[in-house]
Amino acid sequence: MSATVRRLEVIDTQPKLTLVSKPAVLPQIQPDMIALPLVKSQAMQNWQRRGRDFLTAVLPPLLVLIALLVIWEIATSGAKATLPSPIRIWKEASDLILNPFFVNGPQDVGLGYRVMTSLQRVAIGFSIAAFVGVLTGALIGQSVWAMRGLDPIFQVLRTVPPLAWLPISLAAFRDANPSAIFVIFITSVWPIIINTAVGIRNIPQDYRNVAQVLRLNPLEYFWRIMIPAAAPYIFTGLRIGIGLSWLAIVAAEMLTGGVGIGFFIWDAWNSSRLPDIVVALAYIGIVGFLLDKFVAFIGSIATRGAQAS
Amino acid sequence: MRDPAFLKIDHLDKSFSRGSSTTEVLTDINLTIAKGEYISIIGHSGCGKSTLLNLIAGLTTATNGAVLLENREVNSPGPERAVVFQNHSLLPWLTVYDNVGIAVNKVFGGTKSKSERHEWIMHNLELVQMVHAKDKRPSEVSGGMKQRVGIARALAMEPKVLLLDEPFGALDALTRAHLQDSVMQIHSRLGNTVVMITHDVDEAVLLADRIVMMTNGPAATIGEILEVKLDRPRKRLELVADKNYLEARGGVLEFLYARHKAPVLHAAE
């Protein structure tokens, strides 16, 4: 270990040595180049680098955002403008932006709480979809006959828009909350099923042979071989699924009512509070973005090393 | 002590059917292997060597005839006939330790305690000199190391027969020589029965007690069995000029390139 480190250090110093040995080429730069490591400590350099990385990541989107807000302000500043301008939104809806967790009564709560309610529905619906989707996908991926029988049906059902399921689920459950959860489930389950099935069909014959030689029973095979081998595909399905369920919850809540963020938009529309709608849209976008990143993060941990080498 | 008919391949035929057409791959294979014997199977590609190994492993089933291990018919894969696959077939999501561990826990889960199993995993990793990389994943170690772990995984099952399917085929010559020496050492220490597929004449002669030479497919069969009259332990360097070594090598080369040329070469003439 120490030998490697020492060797690395030697390589590190080489560029400096070449600079020193060629003073004629870079006479002015030479003293600086040698002085640099002496003056600035390693920690300071690290901080500088981190600061630079942060700026390159944050500065461009920030500038674009400011530019867009300015364009928006100009476009909606006329007397006949139908949509609110950013300044008007800030004036009328700053309480929503600044305090997401206020409670002024059963129907008047902060957007943070509304998002939490919606997220809770998504969590339930999506968990059921993940569970059912992975198991069904595993079955379809394993069995040629299940594939032949079920795949055409799934291919048709997955194109049905989320809201088209709502009347049927309302009729079946006779309650808004389970209906909304069912719509989440039925929207997000298809990509999970299909991706899992593809992942399981792509398990290399080698791994199946290993499992056979070891005489793994079906349950062990499922946990030790199938799930890890198909994990990259499964997480692709889950990521698409969580995106779709977030799309579906807003639409479903608009119709079912209650406390969710979807109903808030509908309610704001009915009472002509356009600035509130814009703030809610921003909330929905940010939460959807975070959900996607969250599933991707879990996936990157769970599939660590799962790529065939 | 030596059971002369430990593993017996009896009038074995194998054909694959696709639709109405049937391809004969192997016909009338007869081979009796003694306990502790090291057998190399050599032949041109496409002669059904791997199919033969898969039949012994139980990964495919024979059309006619049977494989008998200690007089019991082989009809499904199992840990008593451990396979070292050509492309190592390690599970990439498990560490080196866990790749051996999954086999040990499955085979000895009921008979060894947890600490005994740990000892046994470490022992087998030591045998192939891979203890230093036990916490690495397969993608982090070299091709030769992966194959070592594959061998450790197979050995850890304490198989009655160790099946090696061109285990060093994908490795460079130096790594290959190194691993061949390891396998020879392990074989002399543990006395396993080994069946190894190879397409390398020197490897076959160096490692094997007997070399089984296959004729060309379709409908391949055993053309000749050559006994390698070399004492063990064998030393690669000393064998270079050994009369028996050269004789065995010459015999295999003559069989492969004079009497049973590769089918492609025939067509080119």
Side-chain angles (χ1 to χ4, degrees):
Chain A
M1 201 58 205
S2 63
T4 351
V5 173
R6 220 170 297 139
R7 218 174 302 135
L8 280 175
E9 278 168 0
V10 172
I11 295 167
D12 250 346
T13 53
Q14 264 167 357
K16 285 174 214 153
L17 288 176
T18 19
L19 277 176
V20 179
S21 63
K22 287 180 190 165
V25 185
L26 299 160
Q28 265 93 44
I29 298 167
Q30 186 209 347
D32 282 349
M33 291 298 280
I34 294 170
L36 205 66
L38 295 175
V39 174
K40 287 183 182 165
S41 68
Q42 194 70 33
M44 260 185 81
Q45 279 183 326
N46 274 345
W47 273 109
Q48 272 190 336
R49 204 184 55 233
R50 260 181 236 160
R52 219 175 14 245
D53 289 351
F54 182 74
L55 280 183
T56 51
V58 169
L59 208 55
L62 200 66
L63 289 175
V64 171
L65 186 66
I66 292 169
L68 285 176
L69 286 174
V70 169
I71 295 171
W72 180 4
E73 182 65 41
I74 293 166
T76 53
S77 60
K80 283 185 187 169
T82 50
L83 294 175
S85 69
I87 290 172
R88 205 186 119 204
I89 290 170
W90 179 254
K91 275 184 196 149
E92 292 181 19
S94 61
D95 59 329
L96 288 175
I97 302 168
L98 295 176
N99 187 4
F101 292 104
F102 66 81
V103 182
N104 293 342
Q107 285 301 313
D108 189 11
V109 296
L111 283 180
Y113 281 120
R114 292 178 187 275
V115 165
M116 298 284 253
T117 317
S118 300
L119 276 179
Q120 199 186 356
R121 291 194 182 117
V122 167
I124 299 170
F126 180 70
S127 303
I128 302 172
F131 184 74
V132 173
V134 170
L135 285 184
T136 317
L139 175 73
I140 296 179
Q142 269 300 84
S143 149
V144 178
W145 281 104
M147 179 86 193
R148 286 181 190 155
L150 291 169
D151 189 58
I153 298 170
F154 288 170
Q155 295 294 347
V156 171
L157 287 182
R158 78 183 175 91
T159 61
V160 175
L163 279 188
W165 292 101
L166 195 63
I168 287 192
S169 69
L170 277 173
F173 294 105
R174 299 186 181 278
D175 190 9
N177 203 35
S179 303
I181 290 171
F182 175 78
V183 170
I184 301 295
F185 163 78
I186 205 76
T187 309
S188 56
V189 77
W190 310 114
I192 302 174
I193 292 178
I194 292 166
N195 278 284
T196 307
V198 170
I200 279 169
R201 269 199 297 169
N202 284 348
I203 295 176
Q205 186 60 41
D206 297 339
Y207 302 164
R208 296 176 195 272
N209 286 346
V210 170
Q212 278 190 291
V213 169
L214 287 174
R215 290 216 180 111
L216 297 182
N217 62 39
L219 200 66
E220 289 169 325
Y221 181 67
F222 180 77
W223 280 116
R224 308 297 308 261
I225 309 281
M226 256 161 77
I227 293 296
Y233 289 88
I234 293 174
F235 273 96
T236 307
L238 290 177
R239 219 173 142 180
I240 301 171
I242 196 96
L244 288 179
S245 38
W246 193 237
L247 291 183
I249 186 70
V250 174
E253 281 176 350
M254 278 191 176
L255 300 184
T256 58
V259 178
I261 187 89
F263 180 69
F264 175 82
I265 293 180
W266 190 243
D267 194 34
W269 164 247
N270 282 331
S271 45
S272 308
R273 286 180 280 121
L274 280 180
D276 290 8
I277 297 181
V278 176
V279 175
L281 288 187
Y283 265 90
I284 292 171
I286 290 165
V287 172
F289 174 78
L290 292 178
L291 277 179
D292 181 63
K293 288 288 163 225
F294 175 69
V295 176
F297 173 70
I298 302 278
S300 73
I301 291 175
T303 61
R304 202 174 18 150
Q307 296 79 23
S309 46
Chain B
M1 275 315 277
R2 248 186 160 188
D3 180 359
F6 183 67
L7 179 68
K8 207 169 163 202
I9 301 168
D10 195 16
H11 294 94
L12 191 82
D13 297 330
K14 176 69 189 173
S15 51
F16 289 105
S17 304
R18 184 172 291 158
S20 58
S21 70
T22 304
T23 324
E24 290 266 336
V25 183
L26 298 168
T27 41
D28 203 30
I29 305 278
N30 285 292
L31 184 65
T32 307
I33 298 169
K35 192 170 186 177
E37 207 174 7
Y38 198 121
I39 299 286
S40 288
I41 299 174
I42 197 165
H44 293 291
S45 38
C47 75
K49 305 181 293 259
S50 287
T51 309
L52 180 56
L53 198 88
N54 283 344
L55 284 163
I56 302 174
L59 289 167
T60 45
T61 49
T63 316
N64 293 306
V67 176
L68 299 163
L69 178 63
E70 292 185 312
N71 287 320
R72 240 178 289 161
E73 189 178 348
V74 166
N75 44 25
S76 67
E80 80 275 5
R81 280 162 284 113
V83 189
V84 176
F85 297 96
Q86 183 174 3
N87 54 353
H88 66 77
S89 295
L90 298 180
L91 304 175
W93 54 88
L94 296 179
T95 61
V96 162
Y97 179 89
D98 288 334
N99 262 291
V100 181
I102 189 176
V104 171
N105 291 332
K106 180 64 194 167
V107 177
F108 299 108
T111 51
K112 283 188 195 271
S113 73
K114 205 171 173 218
S115 62
E116 279 174 330
R117 275 180 272 151
H118 169 75
E119 291 284 308
W120 182 239
I121 296 167
M122 294 307 286
H123 171 77
N124 280 285
L125 285 175
E126 251 163 55
L127 216 52
V128 295
Q129 294 143 37
M130 282 301 294
V131 174
H132 62 93
K134 72 182 174 67
D135 295 322
K136 291 201 166 133
R137 281 167 204 281
S139 55
E140 297 166 328
V141 300
S142 70
M145 290 186 185
K146 281 180 214 161
Q147 205 51 274
R148 279 173 192 280
V149 180
I151 293 169
R153 179 175 64 185
L155 287 173
M157 300 179 209
E158 261 188 350
K160 290 174 178 164
V161 185
L162 184 61
L163 302 171
L164 308 174
D165 186 0
E166 292 190 30
F168 318 124
L171 305 176
D172 64 278
L174 291 175
T175 315
R176 187 189 300 190
H178 201 61
L179 272 182
Q180 286 164 351
D181 290 342
S182 296
V183 166
M184 270 199 287
Q185 248 174 33
I186 290 166
H187 178 239
S188 73
R189 246 171 90 178
L190 306 177
N192 327 62
T193 311
V194 184
V195 179
M196 177 181 75
I197 304 276
T198 181
H199 52 229
D200 181 332
V201 178
D202 289 296
E203 183 172 285
V205 179
L206 181 69
L207 294 173
D209 297 314
R210 282 190 295 158
I211 301 172
V212 173
M213 291 176 271
M214 306 272 295
T215 62
N216 289 321
T221 188
I222 294 176
E224 203 182 314
I225 299 178
L226 188 132
E227 195 149 339
V228 183
K229 298 188 199 78
L230 291 169
D231 294 331
R232 291 181 189 271
R234 295 173 183 171
K235 297 254 164 56
R236 179 183 306 278
L237 279 175
E238 293 166 13
L239 289 177
V240 173
D242 188 287
K243 193 169 83 41
N244 287 331
Y245 179 84
L246 293 175
E247 205 174 279
R249 195 171 178 275
V252 179
L253 286 173
E254 213 245 353
F255 178 92
L256 287 178
Y257 299 107
R259 279 185 281 152
H260 295 277
K261 280 186 188 171
V264 185
L265 292 177
H266 266 302
E269 275 174 57

